[in-house]
Amino acid sequence: MTQNITLPTVEERAAFLNKRYAHHSAHDVLERALIDPMVGRLALVSSFGAESVVLLHMVSLMDRTTPVLFIDTEMLFPETLNYQLELAERLRLTNVQTIKASKLMLQVQDPNNDLHKTDTDACCNLRKTIPLNNALENYDAWITGRKRYQSGTRAALDFFEPDADKRLKVNPLAHWTPDALSDYRINNRLPKHPLVDKGYPSIGCAPCTSPVKPGEDPRAGRWRNTEKEECGIHFVDGKMVRGPLQKGDA
């Protein structure tokens, strides 16, 4: 007689995995997540931004066939597009998938490519959140490059967290510092994103990213002069962030 087996919820899986890997290094968390059945089918989501090279390099050493989902909003800096091609070739990543919004949705919701001027949340949802969610339908979990130091909304970030009760998010670099990232890149002779030396420590779409002055928060150049801190592809307490995050959200 066949028994019905109830799989743990996403929240239960996250709690179990955080306990299992509580004292592991970023390298070990990533390496084991790629093969742990409790994690399941896994993809790396990468912006190929200022700090992306660390995770991309780690994955290239472990399994170059790992799916890498690159969201091209069609508003990225040319330097980012060139950097993406350079890294994919240099690291010999064999499964980089470029994700874009559908042409039809763009024509209907942003025909003049100026939605970002009136509603940044709607623009991010159209060009990032919806395409990514569609791409992630085939996966049980996804790897992010988020770290605790990046903003107040990430201060309590764990290695594993629920993603709206659908799948897991894996954050191997949650506890890394800027110095650790820099040391890794230098020690492994990995190329910088070309905009970093021009004052862009955090890089998103060109219209919504500005240079950061010395002493400013590294993400101060993202959606400057607004309360917005996330593009919408991340969640707070398992819920999608649709509007500006408030200071108390974490």
Side-chain angles (χ1 to χ4, degrees), residues 83-121:
Y83 189 58
Q84 184 267 314
L85 294 174
E86 176 189 354
L87 286 185
E89 181 178 358
R90 178 166 181 160
L91 301 177
R92 292 186 288 168
L93 298 167
T94 63
N95 195 4
V96 178
Q97 303 170 28
T98 299
I99 309 300
K100 296 183 181 181
S102 76
K103 295 295 184 184
L104 178 59
M105 290 187 68
L106 289 174
Q107 289 171 3
V108 171
Q109 298 185 36
D110 193 11
N112 299 316
N113 293 326
D114 58 0
L115 182 60
H116 64 278
K117 296 179 180 179
T118 57
D119 192 336
T120 55
D121 290 324

PDB file of all heavy atoms in Angstrom, residues 83-121:
ATOM      1  N   TYR A  83      30.066  43.208 -19.477  1.00  0.00           N
ATOM      2  CA  TYR A  83      30.633  42.466 -18.348  1.00  0.00           C
ATOM      3  C   TYR A  83      30.015  41.066 -18.260  1.00  0.00           C
ATOM      4  O   TYR A  83      30.699  40.083 -17.975  1.00  0.00           O
ATOM      5  CB  TYR A  83      30.367  43.254 -17.073  1.00  0.00           C
ATOM      6  CG  TYR A  83      31.047  42.762 -15.814  1.00  0.00           C
ATOM      7  CD1 TYR A  83      32.425  42.652 -15.723  1.00  0.00           C
ATOM      8  CD2 TYR A  83      30.289  42.453 -14.679  1.00  0.00           C
ATOM      9  CE1 TYR A  83      33.041  42.246 -14.549  1.00  0.00           C
ATOM     10  CE2 TYR A  83      30.895  42.052 -13.495  1.00  0.00           C
ATOM     11  CZ  TYR A  83      32.264  41.945 -13.434  1.00  0.00           C
ATOM     12  OH  TYR A  83      32.872  41.548 -12.262  1.00  0.00           O
ATOM     13  N   GLN A  84      28.713  40.996 -18.510  1.00  0.00           N
ATOM     14  CA  GLN A  84      28.028  39.697 -18.484  1.00  0.00           C
ATOM     15  C   GLN A  84      28.631  38.740 -19.507  1.00  0.00           C
ATOM     16  O   GLN A  84      28.915  37.577 -19.215  1.00  0.00           O
ATOM     17  CB  GLN A  84      26.535  39.895 -18.745  1.00  0.00           C
ATOM     18  CG  GLN A  84      25.701  38.624 -18.650  1.00  0.00           C
ATOM     19  CD  GLN A  84      25.523  37.933 -19.987  1.00  0.00           C
ATOM     20  OE1 GLN A  84      25.216  38.575 -20.988  1.00  0.00           O
ATOM     21  NE2 GLN A  84      25.724  36.629 -20.021  1.00  0.00           N
ATOM     22  N   LEU A  85      28.855  39.228 -20.699  1.00  0.00           N
ATOM     23  CA  LEU A  85      29.446  38.388 -21.748  1.00  0.00           C
ATOM     24  C   LEU A  85      30.876  37.995 -21.393  1.00  0.00           C
ATOM     25  O   LEU A  85      31.289  36.844 -21.602  1.00  0.00           O
ATOM     26  CB  LEU A  85      29.418  39.138 -23.081  1.00  0.00           C
ATOM     27  CG  LEU A  85      28.026  39.429 -23.665  1.00  0.00           C
ATOM     28  CD1 LEU A  85      28.144  40.309 -24.895  1.00  0.00           C
ATOM     29  CD2 LEU A  85      27.311  38.120 -24.002  1.00  0.00           C
ATOM     30  N   GLU A  86      31.631  38.945 -20.854  1.00  0.00           N
ATOM     31  CA  GLU A  86      33.023  38.674 -20.485  1.00  0.00           C
ATOM     32  C   GLU A  86      33.109  37.601 -19.406  1.00  0.00           C
ATOM     33  O   GLU A  86      33.909  36.658 -19.514  1.00  0.00           O
ATOM     34  CB  GLU A  86      33.685  39.962 -19.980  1.00  0.00           C
ATOM     35  CG  GLU A  86      35.120  39.746 -19.478  1.00  0.00           C
ATOM     36  CD  GLU A  86      35.690  40.965 -18.772  1.00  0.00           C
ATOM     37  OE1 GLU A  86      35.028  42.021 -18.754  1.00  0.00           O
ATOM     38  OE2 GLU A  86      36.794  40.857 -18.201  1.00  0.00           O
ATOM     39  N   LEU A  87      32.301  37.734 -18.348  1.00  0.00           N
ATOM     40  CA  LEU A  87      32.367  36.766 -17.253  1.00  0.00           C
ATOM     41  C   LEU A  87      31.883  35.383 -17.675  1.00  0.00           C
ATOM     42  O   LEU A  87      32.475  34.370 -17.294  1.00  0.00           O
ATOM     43  CB  LEU A  87      31.534  37.256 -16.065  1.00  0.00           C
ATOM     44  CG  LEU A  87      32.104  38.407 -15.239  1.00  0.00           C
ATOM     45  CD1 LEU A  87      31.212  38.673 -14.033  1.00  0.00           C
ATOM     46  CD2 LEU A  87      33.526  38.092 -14.775  1.00  0.00           C
ATOM     47  N   ALA A  88      30.801  35.339 -18.441  1.00  0.00           N
ATOM     48  CA  ALA A  88      30.285  34.041 -18.881  1.00  0.00           C
ATOM     49  C   ALA A  88      31.337  33.278 -19.669  1.00  0.00           C
ATOM     50  O   ALA A  88      31.508  32.059 -19.495  1.00  0.00           O
ATOM     51  CB  ALA A  88      29.028  34.240 -19.722  1.00  0.00           C
ATOM     52  N   GLU A  89      32.077  33.991 -20.512  1.00  0.00           N
ATOM     53  CA  GLU A  89      33.126  33.344 -21.300  1.00  0.00           C
ATOM     54  C   GLU A  89      34.329  32.992 -20.440  1.00  0.00           C
ATOM     55  O   GLU A  89      34.860  31.879 -20.525  1.00  0.00           O
ATOM     56  CB  GLU A  89      33.551  34.269 -22.442  1.00  0.00           C
ATOM     57  CG  GLU A  89      34.638  33.666 -23.329  1.00  0.00           C
ATOM     58  CD  GLU A  89      35.006  34.571 -24.490  1.00  0.00           C
ATOM     59  OE1 GLU A  89      34.406  35.652 -24.631  1.00  0.00           O
ATOM     60  OE2 GLU A  89      35.902  34.175 -25.268  1.00  0.00           O
ATOM     61  N   ARG A  90      34.754  33.916 -19.609  1.00  0.00           N
ATOM     62  CA  ARG A  90      35.950  33.706 -18.796  1.00  0.00           C
ATOM     63  C   ARG A  90      35.764  32.563 -17.804  1.00  0.00           C
ATOM     64  O   ARG A  90      36.676  31.759 -17.580  1.00  0.00           O
ATOM     65  CB  ARG A  90      36.294  34.988 -18.046  1.00  0.00           C
ATOM     66  CG  ARG A  90      37.506  34.869 -17.134  1.00  0.00           C
ATOM     67  CD  ARG A  90      37.980  36.229 -16.696  1.00  0.00           C
ATOM     68  NE  ARG A  90      39.143  36.158 -15.847  1.00  0.00           N
ATOM     69  CZ  ARG A  90      39.972  37.160 -15.645  1.00  0.00           C
ATOM     70  NH1 ARG A  90      39.766  38.321 -16.251  1.00  0.00           N
ATOM     71  NH2 ARG A  90      41.015  37.038 -14.841  1.00  0.00           N
ATOM     72  N   LEU A  91      34.578  32.488 -17.182  1.00  0.00           N
ATOM     73  CA  LEU A  91      34.307  31.456 -16.185  1.00  0.00           C
ATOM     74  C   LEU A  91      33.764  30.172 -16.811  1.00  0.00           C
ATOM     75  O   LEU A  91      33.507  29.207 -16.107  1.00  0.00           O
ATOM     76  CB  LEU A  91      33.324  31.988 -15.146  1.00  0.00           C
ATOM     77  CG  LEU A  91      33.779  33.230 -14.372  1.00  0.00           C
ATOM     78  CD1 LEU A  91      32.685  33.695 -13.423  1.00  0.00           C
ATOM     79  CD2 LEU A  91      35.074  32.953 -13.615  1.00  0.00           C
ATOM     80  N   ARG A  92      33.565  30.208 -18.119  1.00  0.00           N
ATOM     81  CA  ARG A  92      33.073  29.036 -18.870  1.00  0.00           C
ATOM     82  C   ARG A  92      31.742  28.533 -18.320  1.00  0.00           C
ATOM     83  O   ARG A  92      31.517  27.330 -18.166  1.00  0.00           O
ATOM     84  CB  ARG A  92      34.122  27.933 -18.894  1.00  0.00           C
ATOM     85  CG  ARG A  92      35.355  28.297 -19.712  1.00  0.00           C
ATOM     86  CD  ARG A  92      36.309  27.126 -19.833  1.00  0.00           C
ATOM     87  NE  ARG A  92      36.980  26.863 -18.573  1.00  0.00           N
ATOM     88  CZ  ARG A  92      37.691  25.762 -18.329  1.00  0.00           C
ATOM     89  NH1 ARG A  92      37.783  24.825 -19.256  1.00  0.00           N
ATOM     90  NH2 ARG A  92      38.281  25.591 -17.166  1.00  0.00           N
ATOM     91  N   LEU A  93      30.857  29.466 -18.041  1.00  0.00           N
ATOM     92  CA  LEU A  93      29.514  29.118 -17.591  1.00  0.00           C
ATOM     93  C   LEU A  93      28.705  28.681 -18.807  1.00  0.00           C
ATOM     94  O   LEU A  93      28.589  29.429 -19.782  1.00  0.00           O
ATOM     95  CB  LEU A  93      28.860  30.330 -16.921  1.00  0.00           C
ATOM     96  CG  LEU A  93      29.580  30.845 -15.663  1.00  0.00           C
ATOM     97  CD1 LEU A  93      29.042  32.218 -15.270  1.00  0.00           C
ATOM     98  CD2 LEU A  93      29.441  29.857 -14.514  1.00  0.00           C
ATOM     99  N   THR A  94      28.154  27.493 -18.748  1.00  0.00           N
ATOM    100  CA  THR A  94      27.536  26.913 -19.944  1.00  0.00           C
ATOM    101  C   THR A  94      26.018  27.013 -19.981  1.00  0.00           C
ATOM    102  O   THR A  94      25.396  26.573 -20.941  1.00  0.00           O
ATOM    103  CB  THR A  94      27.932  25.430 -20.067  1.00  0.00           C
ATOM    104  OG1 THR A  94      27.417  24.704 -18.936  1.00  0.00           O
ATOM    105  CG2 THR A  94      29.448  25.270 -20.127  1.00  0.00           C
ATOM    106  N   ASN A  95      25.408  27.593 -18.934  1.00  0.00           N
ATOM    107  CA  ASN A  95      23.948  27.607 -18.889  1.00  0.00           C
ATOM    108  C   ASN A  95      23.428  28.975 -18.431  1.00  0.00           C
ATOM    109  O   ASN A  95      22.575  29.062 -17.554  1.00  0.00           O
ATOM    110  CB  ASN A  95      23.443  26.501 -17.959  1.00  0.00           C
ATOM    111  CG  ASN A  95      21.956  26.225 -18.149  1.00  0.00           C
ATOM    112  OD1 ASN A  95      21.302  26.795 -19.013  1.00  0.00           O
ATOM    113  ND2 ASN A  95      21.408  25.353 -17.318  1.00  0.00           N
ATOM    114  N   VAL A  96      23.949  30.031 -19.027  1.00  0.00           N
ATOM    115  CA  VAL A  96      23.464  31.380 -18.729  1.00  0.00           C
ATOM    116  C   VAL A  96      22.210  31.639 -19.561  1.00  0.00           C
ATOM    117  O   VAL A  96      22.230  31.516 -20.782  1.00  0.00           O
ATOM    118  CB  VAL A  96      24.527  32.449 -19.028  1.00  0.00           C
ATOM    119  CG1 VAL A  96      23.966  33.847 -18.761  1.00  0.00           C
ATOM    120  CG2 VAL A  96      25.774  32.213 -18.186  1.00  0.00           C
ATOM    121  N   GLN A  97      21.121  32.000 -18.895  1.00  0.00           N
ATOM    122  CA  GLN A  97      19.849  32.237 -19.563  1.00  0.00           C
ATOM    123  C   GLN A  97      19.451  33.697 -19.369  1.00  0.00           C
ATOM    124  O   GLN A  97      19.318  34.166 -18.241  1.00  0.00           O
ATOM    125  CB  GLN A  97      18.774  31.319 -18.983  1.00  0.00           C
ATOM    126  CG  GLN A  97      19.125  29.838 -19.061  1.00  0.00           C
ATOM    127  CD  GLN A  97      18.160  28.963 -18.274  1.00  0.00           C
ATOM    128  OE1 GLN A  97      16.995  29.319 -18.105  1.00  0.00           O
ATOM    129  NE2 GLN A  97      18.630  27.823 -17.799  1.00  0.00           N
ATOM    130  N   THR A  98      19.284  34.423 -20.460  1.00  0.00           N
ATOM    131  CA  THR A  98      18.885  35.827 -20.390  1.00  0.00           C
ATOM    132  C   THR A  98      17.370  35.917 -20.311  1.00  0.00           C
ATOM    133  O   THR A  98      16.657  35.391 -21.169  1.00  0.00           O
ATOM    134  CB  THR A  98      19.401  36.607 -21.606  1.00  0.00           C
ATOM    135  OG1 THR A  98      20.832  36.540 -21.627  1.00  0.00           O
ATOM    136  CG2 THR A  98      18.974  38.064 -21.529  1.00  0.00           C
ATOM    137  N   ILE A  99      16.887  36.581 -19.262  1.00  0.00           N
ATOM    138  CA  ILE A  99      15.456  36.691 -19.000  1.00  0.00           C
ATOM    139  C   ILE A  99      15.013  38.121 -19.292  1.00  0.00           C
ATOM    140  O   ILE A  99      15.627  39.077 -18.825  1.00  0.00           O
ATOM    141  CB  ILE A  99      15.149  36.346 -17.522  1.00  0.00           C
ATOM    142  CG1 ILE A  99      15.794  35.006 -17.127  1.00  0.00           C
ATOM    143  CG2 ILE A  99      13.660  36.350 -17.278  1.00  0.00           C
ATOM    144  CD1 ILE A  99      15.334  33.833 -17.946  1.00  0.00           C
ATOM    145  N   LYS A 100      13.930  38.271 -20.055  1.00  0.00           N
ATOM    146  CA  LYS A 100      13.408  39.601 -20.387  1.00  0.00           C
ATOM    147  C   LYS A 100      11.889  39.623 -20.263  1.00  0.00           C
ATOM    148  O   LYS A 100      11.229  38.580 -20.319  1.00  0.00           O
ATOM    149  CB  LYS A 100      13.781  39.986 -21.831  1.00  0.00           C
ATOM    150  CG  LYS A 100      15.268  40.132 -22.100  1.00  0.00           C
ATOM    151  CD  LYS A 100      15.499  40.579 -23.543  1.00  0.00           C
ATOM    152  CE  LYS A 100      16.977  40.720 -23.859  1.00  0.00           C
ATOM    153  NZ  LYS A 100      17.208  41.185 -25.257  1.00  0.00           N
ATOM    154  N   ALA A 101      11.357  40.821 -20.104  1.00  0.00           N
ATOM    155  CA  ALA A 101       9.902  40.991 -20.151  1.00  0.00           C
ATOM    156  C   ALA A 101       9.403  40.718 -21.565  1.00  0.00           C
ATOM    157  O   ALA A 101      10.133  40.924 -22.542  1.00  0.00           O
ATOM    158  CB  ALA A 101       9.531  42.414 -19.730  1.00  0.00           C
ATOM    159  N   SER A 102       8.175  40.264 -21.664  1.00  0.00           N
ATOM    160  CA  SER A 102       7.624  39.992 -22.995  1.00  0.00           C
ATOM    161  C   SER A 102       7.434  41.289 -23.763  1.00  0.00           C
ATOM    162  O   SER A 102       7.106  42.338 -23.190  1.00  0.00           O
ATOM    163  CB  SER A 102       6.289  39.251 -22.882  1.00  0.00           C
ATOM    164  OG  SER A 102       5.256  40.136 -22.487  1.00  0.00           O
ATOM    165  N   LYS A 103       7.640  41.228 -25.061  1.00  0.00           N
ATOM    166  CA  LYS A 103       7.474  42.411 -25.910  1.00  0.00           C
ATOM    167  C   LYS A 103       6.055  42.964 -25.812  1.00  0.00           C
ATOM    168  O   LYS A 103       5.841  44.180 -25.805  1.00  0.00           O
ATOM    169  CB  LYS A 103       7.803  42.059 -27.361  1.00  0.00           C
ATOM    170  CG  LYS A 103       9.254  41.667 -27.595  1.00  0.00           C
ATOM    171  CD  LYS A 103      10.188  42.837 -27.319  1.00  0.00           C
ATOM    172  CE  LYS A 103      11.630  42.464 -27.639  1.00  0.00           C
ATOM    173  NZ  LYS A 103      12.567  43.578 -27.277  1.00  0.00           N
ATOM    174  N   LEU A 104       5.078  42.066 -25.719  1.00  0.00           N
ATOM    175  CA  LEU A 104       3.685  42.502 -25.647  1.00  0.00           C
ATOM    176  C   LEU A 104       3.424  43.297 -24.373  1.00  0.00           C
ATOM    177  O   LEU A 104       2.794  44.369 -24.411  1.00  0.00           O
ATOM    178  CB  LEU A 104       2.746  41.294 -25.712  1.00  0.00           C
ATOM    179  CG  LEU A 104       1.247  41.603 -25.594  1.00  0.00           C
ATOM    180  CD1 LEU A 104       0.809  42.553 -26.711  1.00  0.00           C
ATOM    181  CD2 LEU A 104       0.438  40.312 -25.622  1.00  0.00           C
ATOM    182  N   MET A 105       3.915  42.793 -23.249  1.00  0.00           N
ATOM    183  CA  MET A 105       3.698  43.499 -21.979  1.00  0.00           C
ATOM    184  C   MET A 105       4.393  44.856 -21.978  1.00  0.00           C
ATOM    185  O   MET A 105       3.863  45.840 -21.449  1.00  0.00           O
ATOM    186  CB  MET A 105       4.182  42.644 -20.804  1.00  0.00           C
ATOM    187  CG  MET A 105       3.319  41.431 -20.533  1.00  0.00           C
ATOM    188  SD  MET A 105       3.778  40.558 -19.022  1.00  0.00           S
ATOM    189  CE  MET A 105       3.293  41.757 -17.775  1.00  0.00           C
ATOM    190  N   LEU A 106       5.572  44.918 -22.586  1.00  0.00           N
ATOM    191  CA  LEU A 106       6.272  46.197 -22.671  1.00  0.00           C
ATOM    192  C   LEU A 106       5.493  47.195 -23.528  1.00  0.00           C
ATOM    193  O   LEU A 106       5.381  48.374 -23.197  1.00  0.00           O
ATOM    194  CB  LEU A 106       7.679  45.992 -23.235  1.00  0.00           C
ATOM    195  CG  LEU A 106       8.690  45.297 -22.322  1.00  0.00           C
ATOM    196  CD1 LEU A 106       9.993  45.036 -23.067  1.00  0.00           C
ATOM    197  CD2 LEU A 106       8.968  46.128 -21.069  1.00  0.00           C
ATOM    198  N   GLN A 107       4.946  46.702 -24.636  1.00  0.00           N
ATOM    199  CA  GLN A 107       4.183  47.588 -25.524  1.00  0.00           C
ATOM    200  C   GLN A 107       2.931  48.115 -24.836  1.00  0.00           C
ATOM    201  O   GLN A 107       2.548  49.273 -25.024  1.00  0.00           O
ATOM    202  CB  GLN A 107       3.800  46.828 -26.794  1.00  0.00           C
ATOM    203  CG  GLN A 107       4.981  46.545 -27.721  1.00  0.00           C
ATOM    204  CD  GLN A 107       4.593  45.616 -28.858  1.00  0.00           C
ATOM    205  OE1 GLN A 107       3.438  45.231 -28.995  1.00  0.00           O
ATOM    206  NE2 GLN A 107       5.578  45.247 -29.681  1.00  0.00           N
ATOM    207  N   VAL A 108       2.314  47.267 -24.017  1.00  0.00           N
ATOM    208  CA  VAL A 108       1.066  47.666 -23.354  1.00  0.00           C
ATOM    209  C   VAL A 108       1.334  48.572 -22.158  1.00  0.00           C
ATOM    210  O   VAL A 108       0.665  49.597 -21.970  1.00  0.00           O
ATOM    211  CB  VAL A 108       0.278  46.407 -22.908  1.00  0.00           C
ATOM    212  CG1 VAL A 108      -0.905  46.806 -22.039  1.00  0.00           C
ATOM    213  CG2 VAL A 108      -0.185  45.610 -24.120  1.00  0.00           C
ATOM    214  N   GLN A 109       2.323  48.205 -21.326  1.00  0.00           N
ATOM    215  CA  GLN A 109       2.508  48.903 -20.057  1.00  0.00           C
ATOM    216  C   GLN A 109       3.583  49.996 -20.088  1.00  0.00           C
ATOM    217  O   GLN A 109       3.567  50.895 -19.252  1.00  0.00           O
ATOM    218  CB  GLN A 109       2.861  47.888 -18.962  1.00  0.00           C
ATOM    219  CG  GLN A 109       1.760  46.872 -18.720  1.00  0.00           C
ATOM    220  CD  GLN A 109       2.067  45.960 -17.549  1.00  0.00           C
ATOM    221  OE1 GLN A 109       2.659  46.376 -16.557  1.00  0.00           O
ATOM    222  NE2 GLN A 109       1.674  44.696 -17.660  1.00  0.00           N
ATOM    223  N   ASP A 110       4.501  49.902 -21.040  1.00  0.00           N
ATOM    224  CA  ASP A 110       5.572  50.905 -21.084  1.00  0.00           C
ATOM    225  C   ASP A 110       5.980  51.183 -22.527  1.00  0.00           C
ATOM    226  O   ASP A 110       7.130  51.004 -22.913  1.00  0.00           O
ATOM    227  CB  ASP A 110       6.777  50.398 -20.271  1.00  0.00           C
ATOM    228  CG  ASP A 110       7.800  51.487 -20.012  1.00  0.00           C
ATOM    229  OD1 ASP A 110       7.511  52.664 -20.272  1.00  0.00           O
ATOM    230  OD2 ASP A 110       8.911  51.150 -19.546  1.00  0.00           O
ATOM    231  N   PRO A 111       5.045  51.637 -23.342  1.00  0.00           N
ATOM    232  CA  PRO A 111       5.318  51.795 -24.778  1.00  0.00           C
ATOM    233  C   PRO A 111       6.408  52.821 -25.088  1.00  0.00           C
ATOM    234  O   PRO A 111       7.086  52.712 -26.112  1.00  0.00           O
ATOM    235  CB  PRO A 111       3.965  52.249 -25.342  1.00  0.00           C
ATOM    236  CG  PRO A 111       3.250  52.857 -24.177  1.00  0.00           C
ATOM    237  CD  PRO A 111       3.679  52.042 -22.994  1.00  0.00           C
ATOM    238  N   ASN A 112       6.588  53.804 -24.206  1.00  0.00           N
ATOM    239  CA  ASN A 112       7.585  54.852 -24.455  1.00  0.00           C
ATOM    240  C   ASN A 112       8.850  54.685 -23.619  1.00  0.00           C
ATOM    241  O   ASN A 112       9.703  55.586 -23.585  1.00  0.00           O
ATOM    242  CB  ASN A 112       6.958  56.220 -24.168  1.00  0.00           C
ATOM    243  CG  ASN A 112       5.766  56.518 -25.059  1.00  0.00           C
ATOM    244  OD1 ASN A 112       5.807  56.272 -26.263  1.00  0.00           O
ATOM    245  ND2 ASN A 112       4.688  57.021 -24.470  1.00  0.00           N
ATOM    246  N   ASN A 113       8.963  53.559 -22.934  1.00  0.00           N
ATOM    247  CA  ASN A 113      10.132  53.274 -22.092  1.00  0.00           C
ATOM    248  C   ASN A 113      10.385  54.369 -21.059  1.00  0.00           C
ATOM    249  O   ASN A 113      11.530  54.693 -20.734  1.00  0.00           O
ATOM    250  CB  ASN A 113      11.389  53.087 -22.958  1.00  0.00           C
ATOM    251  CG  ASN A 113      11.321  51.847 -23.825  1.00  0.00           C
ATOM    252  OD1 ASN A 113      10.746  50.835 -23.428  1.00  0.00           O
ATOM    253  ND2 ASN A 113      11.878  51.934 -25.020  1.00  0.00           N
ATOM    254  N   ASP A 114       9.310  54.921 -20.513  1.00  0.00           N
ATOM    255  CA  ASP A 114       9.476  55.982 -19.518  1.00  0.00           C
ATOM    256  C   ASP A 114       8.690  55.710 -18.234  1.00  0.00           C
ATOM    257  O   ASP A 114       8.485  56.612 -17.419  1.00  0.00           O
ATOM    258  CB  ASP A 114       9.072  57.333 -20.102  1.00  0.00           C
ATOM    259  CG  ASP A 114       7.631  57.347 -20.598  1.00  0.00           C
ATOM    260  OD1 ASP A 114       6.931  56.314 -20.489  1.00  0.00           O
ATOM    261  OD2 ASP A 114       7.198  58.406 -21.096  1.00  0.00           O
ATOM    262  N   LEU A 115       8.245  54.478 -18.043  1.00  0.00           N
ATOM    263  CA  LEU A 115       7.478  54.134 -16.844  1.00  0.00           C
ATOM    264  C   LEU A 115       8.283  54.395 -15.573  1.00  0.00           C
ATOM    265  O   LEU A 115       7.723  54.770 -14.540  1.00  0.00           O
ATOM    266  CB  LEU A 115       7.039  52.669 -16.906  1.00  0.00           C
ATOM    267  CG  LEU A 115       6.183  52.141 -15.750  1.00  0.00           C
ATOM    268  CD1 LEU A 115       4.885  52.931 -15.633  1.00  0.00           C
ATOM    269  CD2 LEU A 115       5.897  50.649 -15.941  1.00  0.00           C
ATOM    270  N   HIS A 116       9.597  54.228 -15.660  1.00  0.00           N
ATOM    271  CA  HIS A 116      10.448  54.433 -14.484  1.00  0.00           C
ATOM    272  C   HIS A 116      10.393  55.864 -13.965  1.00  0.00           C
ATOM    273  O   HIS A 116      10.699  56.130 -12.802  1.00  0.00           O
ATOM    274  CB  HIS A 116      11.902  54.082 -14.820  1.00  0.00           C
ATOM    275  CG  HIS A 116      12.518  54.957 -15.867  1.00  0.00           C
ATOM    276  ND1 HIS A 116      12.325  54.742 -17.216  1.00  0.00           N
ATOM    277  CD2 HIS A 116      13.301  56.058 -15.772  1.00  0.00           C
ATOM    278  CE1 HIS A 116      12.979  55.670 -17.905  1.00  0.00           C
ATOM    279  NE2 HIS A 116      13.575  56.481 -17.047  1.00  0.00           N
ATOM    280  N   LYS A 117       9.980  56.805 -14.800  1.00  0.00           N
ATOM    281  CA  LYS A 117       9.916  58.213 -14.396  1.00  0.00           C
ATOM    282  C   LYS A 117       8.691  58.515 -13.534  1.00  0.00           C
ATOM    283  O   LYS A 117       8.695  59.470 -12.750  1.00  0.00           O
ATOM    284  CB  LYS A 117       9.887  59.119 -15.626  1.00  0.00           C
ATOM    285  CG  LYS A 117      11.148  59.056 -16.480  1.00  0.00           C
ATOM    286  CD  LYS A 117      11.019  59.963 -17.693  1.00  0.00           C
ATOM    287  CE  LYS A 117      12.271  59.917 -18.557  1.00  0.00           C
ATOM    288  NZ  LYS A 117      12.151  60.784 -19.758  1.00  0.00           N
ATOM    289  N   THR A 118       7.652  57.703 -13.681  1.00  0.00           N
ATOM    290  CA  THR A 118       6.403  57.964 -12.963  1.00  0.00           C
ATOM    291  C   THR A 118       6.085  56.912 -11.903  1.00  0.00           C
ATOM    292  O   THR A 118       5.389  57.212 -10.934  1.00  0.00           O
ATOM    293  CB  THR A 118       5.224  58.036 -13.944  1.00  0.00           C
ATOM    294  OG1 THR A 118       5.145  56.797 -14.696  1.00  0.00           O
ATOM    295  CG2 THR A 118       5.407  59.205 -14.910  1.00  0.00           C
ATOM    296  N   ASP A 119       6.570  55.678 -12.080  1.00  0.00           N
ATOM    297  CA  ASP A 119       6.245  54.600 -11.133  1.00  0.00           C
ATOM    298  C   ASP A 119       7.360  53.560 -11.167  1.00  0.00           C
ATOM    299  O   ASP A 119       7.300  52.600 -11.937  1.00  0.00           O
ATOM    300  CB  ASP A 119       4.902  53.977 -11.496  1.00  0.00           C
ATOM    301  CG  ASP A 119       4.362  53.069 -10.402  1.00  0.00           C
ATOM    302  OD1 ASP A 119       5.168  52.563  -9.591  1.00  0.00           O
ATOM    303  OD2 ASP A 119       3.133  52.854 -10.359  1.00  0.00           O
ATOM    304  N   THR A 120       8.362  53.758 -10.321  1.00  0.00           N
ATOM    305  CA  THR A 120       9.508  52.834 -10.330  1.00  0.00           C
ATOM    306  C   THR A 120       9.106  51.430  -9.913  1.00  0.00           C
ATOM    307  O   THR A 120       9.649  50.448 -10.423  1.00  0.00           O
ATOM    308  CB  THR A 120      10.630  53.340  -9.400  1.00  0.00           C
ATOM    309  OG1 THR A 120      10.097  53.559  -8.083  1.00  0.00           O
ATOM    310  CG2 THR A 120      11.238  54.622  -9.924  1.00  0.00           C
ATOM    311  N   ASP A 121       8.146  51.314  -8.987  1.00  0.00           N
ATOM    312  CA  ASP A 121       7.708  49.983  -8.556  1.00  0.00           C
ATOM    313  C   ASP A 121       7.075  49.216  -9.705  1.00  0.00           C
ATOM    314  O   ASP A 121       7.341  48.033  -9.905  1.00  0.00           O
ATOM    315  CB  ASP A 121       6.724  50.096  -7.396  1.00  0.00           C
ATOM    316  CG  ASP A 121       7.384  50.569  -6.111  1.00  0.00           C
ATOM    317  OD1 ASP A 121       8.533  50.177  -5.869  1.00  0.00           O
ATOM    318  OD2 ASP A 121       6.751  51.338  -5.370  1.00  0.00           O
TER     319      ASP A 121
END
